[in-house]
C-alpha cells in the first residue's frame, strides 16, 4: 500500500500594505493605554523640557500627566466653565489656558491657583500661546479678536479685530518674538506683527480653519480646515504650495515629528495620517475608535497621544530597543552540547540504513487516512480553523469531492452542525478564491436537506440568506459583464489598426497597378 499523502493546502497571496521604513518606524509602538476624561479632549501639549509631562485640556480641567502615569500628577480646575487650549511655556514652568467665560488664565506648574487673569475678551477664548520672549501671551476668541497681553503687568498691549468670524486656532513664532498666526472660521489665515497696526499677510483657506502650524524653519505654514491640509510658503507672501485631501471628514489637528520630516494630521474620520514633508505623500496611517480632536507627539517621538470626542485619551509608547548581549554576558554552553550536534552534518554512506523521520499528520489528515470522512469535515469546521484559515476547510472539502465522498460527509447532520456549515458558506461563498468549490458544496447541501425545510426556523433563515447572497452575486456579475462590454466597445473605438510592412507594400503595388489598367482600357476603347 502506498504512503498516505497529506491534503495539499493551496497558498493565496496576502494583500497588505507595502512594508517601508516608515511602516516599521510608526508601527514600533506598544499596545495603547486608554484613559477616560470628563469630556472631549480638545488640546494636548507636551512640556518642551524634561521630564516629558503633557497637559490635557478636557471639560473644566487641565490634567498634567507624567510619561508613564495613568493618573494625573497635577490638576488645574479653577475654571468656571469649559477650559480650552492648555499650553506650556517654552521653559515648562508656566501653563496658560482660555475659557468659555472669556478669561485667559495663567498657572504656575508648581502651584494650584492662577497667577494672572486677563480680562478683555467678550466671548469664549479658544486659542492661547506664549510668544518667543516668554513675557507675552497671544489669545484668539469668538469675539473675532486676536489680543497680545503683557504678563508682568497683566495688561493688554494690542488687539486686532480683522477676522469676521470665530478665531479658533493659532500659533506663535519661535524665531521672531512679535510674529503670530491666527486661523478663523471666516476661512482666512492672518499673520500679525505686534509692532504694526494691521496684519502683514493674509491667506484664503476656503474652509473654516481648525488648526495652523509653523514649520521649524518658519518658512512654511500648514493649515487644516474642511477635508484639506494646505501648505503655504511664507517667504513668497503666503503662496499655496500644495493642497492635501487625504481625509473624508474635517481635519481638526496637526503636529510635526521631532525631525520635522513628518507631518501628522488628525480628523473626525477617526484616522491620523502621516505625511512626508518632502513629497507630501501619506506614508502611514493610524486608526482610532472615535473622532479625533487633538494630537501630540513627545519631543523625542517616544509617545503619541490622541484625544477623542468621546473623552478617551489614547497613549502609545515606543517600544524600547533590545540591548545586544555582550560576549561576556552570553551563557556558555555545556560541554555535552557538542555530543548532540555532532551528527547533524553527517552524510550517509552506501551501506548505511537511512531511517526517515516519523510523519506527523494533522487531525483531519489522520481522519482522512482512516476513511472517517464525516469526522474529517467536522475537524476543519471548528472555530479555530474555519474562522482563521478557511482555505484549510475548503481544501478538505475539495479532497472529499475528489474522492467522491463529499455527499456522505455532508449528510446526517443535526441542526447545530448544519447551521455551522451554513454559516461557513454564507461567509465564504462570495470569495473568488473558494467560490468554485463552495458552489458545489451548496448544491449538494440543498439536494440533501431540501426535504427538511420548514422544520427548523434557524436553518430556514440561513437558506433564505444563502438565496439572497447568490442573487446578489449573480446581479453583481451581470453588472460586471455590462461594464466589461462597455469597456470593450470603448477600447475598440480608441484602438487604431497599425499596418504591417507587407500590407503597406501590397497597398502601394495596388495603387501603382490601378492607373495602368485604366489607361489600357481607354486606349482599347
Amino acid at each position: 500500500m502506498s504512503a498516505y499523502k497529506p491534503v495539499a493546502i493551496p497558498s493565496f497571496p496576502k494583500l497588505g500594505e507595502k512594508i517601508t521604513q516608515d511602516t516599521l518606524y510608526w508601527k514600533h509602538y506598544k499596545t495603547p493605554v486608554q484613559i477616560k476624561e470628563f469630556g472631549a479632549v480638545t488640546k494636548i501639549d507636551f512640556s518642551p523640557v524634561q521630564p516629558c509631562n503633557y497637559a490635557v485640556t478636557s471639560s473644566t480641567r487641565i490634567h498634567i500627566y507624567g510619561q508613564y502615569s495613568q493618573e494625573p500628577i497635577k490638576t488645574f480646575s479653577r475654571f468656571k466653565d469649559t477650559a480650552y487650549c492648555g499650553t506650556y511655556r517654552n521653559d515648562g514652568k508656566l501653563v496658560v489656558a482660555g475659557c468659555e467665560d472669556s478669561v485667559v488664565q495663567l498657572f504656575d506648574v508648581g502651584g494650584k491657583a492662577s497667577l494672572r487673569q486677563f480680562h478683555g475678551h467678550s466671548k469664549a477664548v479658544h486659542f492661547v500661546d506664549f510668544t518667543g520672549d516668554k513675557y507675552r501671551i497671544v489669545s484668539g476668541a469668538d469675539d473675532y479678536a486676536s489680543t497680545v497681553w503683557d504678563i508682568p503687568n497683566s495688561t493688554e498691549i494690542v488687539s486686532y479685530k480683522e477676522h469676521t468670524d470665530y478665531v479658533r486656532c493659532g500659533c506663535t513664532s519661535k524665531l521672531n518674538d512679535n510674529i503670530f498666526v491666527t486661523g478663523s472660521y471666516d476661512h482666512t489665515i492672518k499673520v500679525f506683527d505686534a509692532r504694526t497696526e494691521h496684519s502683514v499677510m493674509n491667506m484664503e483657506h476656503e474652509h473654516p480653519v481648525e488648526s495652523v502650524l509653523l514649520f521649524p524653519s518658519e518658512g512654511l505654514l500648514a493649515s487644516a480646515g474642511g477635508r484639506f491640509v494646505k501648505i503655504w510658503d511664507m517667504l513668497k507672501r503666503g503662496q499655496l504650495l500644495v493642497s492635501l485631501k487625504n481625509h473624508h471628514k474635517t481635519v481638526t489637528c496637526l503636529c510635526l515629528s521631532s525631525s520635522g520630516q513628518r507631518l501628522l494630521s488628525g480628523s473626525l474620520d477617526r484616522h491620523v495620517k502621516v505625511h512626508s514633508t518632502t513629497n507630501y505623500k501619506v506614508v502611514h496611517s493610524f486608526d482610532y475608535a472615535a473622532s479625533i480632536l487633538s494630537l501630540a507627539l513627545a519631543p523625542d517621538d517616544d509617545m503619541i497621544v490622541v484625544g477623542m470626542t468621546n473623552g478617551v485619551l489614547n497613549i502609545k509608547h515606543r517600544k524600547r530597543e533590545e540591548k545586544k548581549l555582550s560576549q561576556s554576558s552570553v551563557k556558555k554552553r555545556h560541554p555535552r552540547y557538542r555530543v548532540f550536534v555532532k551528527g547533524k552534518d553527517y552524510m550517509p554512506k552506501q551501506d548505511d540504513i537511512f531511517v526517515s523521520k516519523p510523519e506527523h499528520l494533522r487531525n483531519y489528515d489522520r481522519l482522512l487516512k482512516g476513511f472517517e470522512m464525516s469526522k474529517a469535515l467536522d475537524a476543519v469546521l471548528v472555530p479555530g480553523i474555519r474562522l482563521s484559515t478557511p482555505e484549510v476547510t475548503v481544501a478538505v472539502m475539495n479532497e472529499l469531492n475528489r474522492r467522491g465522498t463529499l455527499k456522505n460527509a455532508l449528510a446526517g447532520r443535526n441542526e447545530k452542525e448544519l447551521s455551522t456549515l451554513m454559516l461557513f458558506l454564507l461567509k465564504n461563498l462570495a470569495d473568488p478564491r473558494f467560490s468554485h468549490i463552495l458552489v458545489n458544496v451548496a448544491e449538494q447541501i440543498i439536494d440533501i436537506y431540501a426535504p427538511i425545510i420548514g422544520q427548523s426556523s434557524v436553518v430556514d433563515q440561513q437558506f433564505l440568506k444563502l438565496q439572497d447572497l447568490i442573487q446578489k452575486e449573480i446581479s453583481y456579475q451581470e453588472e460586471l459583464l455590462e461594464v466589461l462590454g462597455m469597456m470593450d466597445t470603448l477600447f475598440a473605438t480608441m484602438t487604431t489598426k497599425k499596418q504591417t510592412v507587407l500590407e503597406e507594400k501590397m497597398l502601394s503595388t495596388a495603387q501603382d497597378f490601378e492607373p495602368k489598367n485604366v489607361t489600357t482600357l481607354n486606349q482599347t476603347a
Side-chain angles (χ1 to χ4, degrees), residues 138 146 160 162-163 169-173 176 178-184 188-204 212-214 218-223 232-239:
V138 178
S146 305
Y160 302 93
E162 297 188 17
H163 287 292
C169 60
C171 60
T172 57
S173 169
N176 189 318
N178 297 295
I179 301 294
F180 65 94
V181 184
T182 58
S184 169
T188 62
I189 304 158
K190 293 184 182 292
V191 181
F192 294 95
D193 189 332
R195 297 165 294 187
T196 62
E197 295 181 356
H198 303 285
S199 61
V200 296
M201 202 178 300
N202 188 14
M203 290 156 279
E204 183 67 33
V212 291
L213 178 67
L214 277 168
E218 299 190 0
L220 297 176
L221 173 74
S223 64
W232 311 88
D233 191 342
M234 302 291 286
L235 304 180
K236 294 185 179 179
R237 296 200 59 80
Q239 179 182 344

Side-chain angles (χ1 to χ4, degrees), residues 109-164:
V109 173
K112 288 187 177 181
S114 59
L115 295 177
R116 297 280 190 278
Q117 291 189 353
F118 303 89
H119 299 271
H121 288 289
S122 59
K123 291 187 179 179
V125 181
H126 281 266
F127 152 65
V128 286
D129 199 359
F130 292 94
T131 59
D133 60 6
K134 302 187 293 186
Y135 302 115
R136 287 175 292 173
I137 292 172
V138 178
S139 63
D142 286 354
D143 58 3
Y144 313 161
S146 305
T147 307
V148 181
W149 310 87
D150 181 61
I151 295 177
N153 300 317
S154 300
T155 57
E156 178 185 309
I157 299 175
V158 63
S159 182
Y160 302 93
K161 291 190 176 180
E162 297 188 17
H163 287 292
T164 58

Side-chain angles (χ1 to χ4, degrees), residues 169 205 207-212 222-226 228-230 251-254:
C169 60
H205 185 84
H207 293 85
V209 184
E210 301 285 349
S211 180
V212 291
S223 64
F228 296 88
V229 175
K230 297 187 178 183
V251 183
T252 55
C253 48
L254 298 171

Side-chain angles (χ1 to χ4, degrees), residues 373-381 396-397 400 409-410 413 421:
M373 307 305 176
S374 184
K375 291 183 179 180
L377 184 58
D378 291 337
V380 293
L381 286 173
V396 171
M397 289 179 175
L400 292 172
L410 294 172
R413 296 183 173 270
L421 194 55

